[in-house]
Amino acid sequence: MLIPGFATPEGTARFRDRYSAKLPGHFRDAYGLWLSSIGLGTYLGEPTTACDAQYREAILRAVEMGTNVLDSAVNYRHQRSERAIASALSAMIALGTLRRDEILVATKGGFLTFDGEEPDDPSEYFNQRLIRSGLVRPEEVAAGCHVMSPRYLEDQIDVSRKNLGVETIDLYYLHNPETQLTDVSRDEFTRRITAAFAALEKAVTDGKIRMYGTATWNAYRVGTGSREALSLLEILRIAEEVGGGNHHLRAIQLPFNLAMPEALTARTQSLNNEQVPVLQVARAHGLMVFASAS
C-alpha cells in the first residue's frame, strides 16, 4: 500500500512551526512550501543491509531534528536508498511523528540501475530487463548508462514510487541529462529532452509526481564551449513549449561547495544579453535550487 498525499503549504508550515523557536531562519518558502535549509541526500554508501539500517536511522534522526527535504535517485545504492527512505517514512507516519504532507520527497531517473545488488552478469541483466523486454531501444542508451525516453521515465517513476512507498513523488529530477550529449547531437538532445519533459508533464497530470527539474553535474557550471554545457534559459523554453506558461519545471540541482563554486561565480549562462552565473538565472525565473555534494 502506497502512502497517499504529498507535501503541501499547510503541512510544511505545520512542520516548520514545530521547530521555529529552536531553528529561526531554517525554513524557506518555495512555491508555498516551507522547506528546511538543510536536506538529507542518500547517494553515498555500499549496497548492504548494514548501510540500509544506517540510512534508516539517519533519516529518522534528520527529520526529528527539523529536516523535511529528502533526496534520492533510483540508481543510488542499486535502489536501496529509496527503499531506506520508505522504511523510515512508514515508521514515522505509523507512529504519528510525521504526516506525509509535511515532507518533500525528491528522487531522480535516467541512469540504468541494478535491483538491490549487482548481478553476476550485468550485461545480460540489462539486455533482459531493458532491451529484450522492449522497455528500451538500444539507440536510446547514451554513454552505455543513460536513457531518458518517455517509456523508460514512465517505468522509472513507477519503480521509484514503489521503492519510496508513496503514491506521489513531490519532486522528480531528470538525472544528469547532459550525459546524453556524449553520444548525440544538440538537435537530437533537444528532441529527446522535449519528449522527456512531455512525459514528466503527463506524470504530473496523472498525479504520480508534483513537479520536476534537472539534477546536473556539469551542465550549468561549464562554459559554453563544453560539450556538456546546457543553457538554463533553453531548458526553460522547452518546458514552456511542452507545458505552457504553467509548466511544472520548478527546480534545479547542481554541485555547490568550496571546491565547486561555479553556480555562484562562473558566468556560464545568458540573461538579458549578459553572461551570468546560473544562480542568477534561477532566481530571475523563480526556480528552487538544491545543492548537491554540498
Side-chain angles (χ1 to χ4, degrees), residues 197-235:
F197 283 0
L200 295 175
E201 289 287 349
K202 181 179 184 298
V204 173
T205 300
D206 292 344
K208 294 182 177 183
I209 68 175
R210 291 287 288 171
M211 51 189 166
Y212 63 94
T214 57
T216 63
W217 193 253
N218 291 326
Y220 301 132
R221 300 184 304 111
V222 297
T224 55
S226 170
R227 186 176 182 87
E228 293 181 288
L230 294 180
S231 161
L232 182 51
L233 284 184
E234 175 65 8
I235 294 299

Side-chain angles (χ1 to χ4, degrees), residues 185-204:
S185 67
R186 287 277 165 177
D187 286 345
E188 176 61 12
F189 175 83
T190 298
R191 188 195 69 76
R192 291 186 180 193
I193 200 167
T194 299
F197 283 0
L200 295 175
E201 289 287 349
K202 181 179 184 298
V204 173

Side-chain angles (χ1 to χ4, degrees), residues 92-106:
M92 289 184 286
I93 289 172
L95 287 171
T97 58
L98 182 75
R99 289 159 67 173
R100 175 64 185 94
D101 63 355
E102 296 177 340
I103 194 161
L104 182 136
V105 179

Side-chain angles (χ1 to χ4, degrees), residues 8 30 32 61 66 89 103 106 140 145 160 166 181 188 194 196 199 215 231 244 247 255 292 294:
T8 68
R61 183 62 173 147
L89 280 181
I103 194 161
E140 293 171 334
C145 64
S160 287
V166 298
L181 290 165
E188 176 61 12
T194 299
S231 161
H247 64 79
S292 59
S294 52

Side-chain angles (χ1 to χ4, degrees), residues 80-231:
R80 300 175 79 121
S81 286
E82 288 187 329
R83 293 165 185 167
I85 289 175
S87 176
L89 280 181
S90 61
M92 289 184 286
I93 289 172
L95 287 171
T97 58
L98 182 75
R99 289 159 67 173
R100 175 64 185 94
D101 63 355
E102 296 177 340
I103 194 161
L104 182 136
V105 179
T107 195
K108 316 174 188 74
F111 283 110
L112 307 185
T113 182
F114 301 126
D115 188 351
E117 57 187 26
E118 186 170 340
D120 292 335
D121 188 342
S123 179
E124 175 58 23
Y125 171 84
F126 285 128
N127 274 325
Q128 180 177 336
R129 167 79 176 85
L130 304 179
I131 305 301
R132 289 202 290 271
S133 71
L135 181 61
V136 171
R137 299 196 305 269
E139 63 269 23
E140 293 171 334
V141 182
C145 64
H146 194 275
V147 180
M148 60 181 192
S149 66
R151 179 180 291 186
Y152 186 66
L153 291 176
E154 289 165 7
D155 173 80
Q156 294 296 276
I157 288 170
D158 284 339
V159 169
S160 287
R161 290 169 62 233
K162 181 180 178 182
N163 284 344
L164 292 163
V166 298
E167 284 187 358
T168 304
I169 297 165
D170 297 297
L171 175 56
Y172 192 84
Y173 294 106
L174 189 57
H175 199 177
N176 290 15
E178 69 269 31
T179 306
Q180 293 278 319
L181 290 165
T182 303
D183 288 344
V184 305
S185 67
R186 287 277 165 177
D187 286 345
E188 176 61 12
F189 175 83
T190 298
R191 188 195 69 76
R192 291 186 180 193
I193 200 167
T194 299
F197 283 0
L200 295 175
E201 289 287 349
K202 181 179 184 298
V204 173
T205 300
D206 292 344
K208 294 182 177 183
I209 68 175
R210 291 287 288 171
M211 51 189 166
Y212 63 94
T214 57
T216 63
W217 193 253
N218 291 326
Y220 301 132
R221 300 184 304 111
V222 297
T224 55
S226 170
R227 186 176 182 87
E228 293 181 288
L230 294 180
S231 161

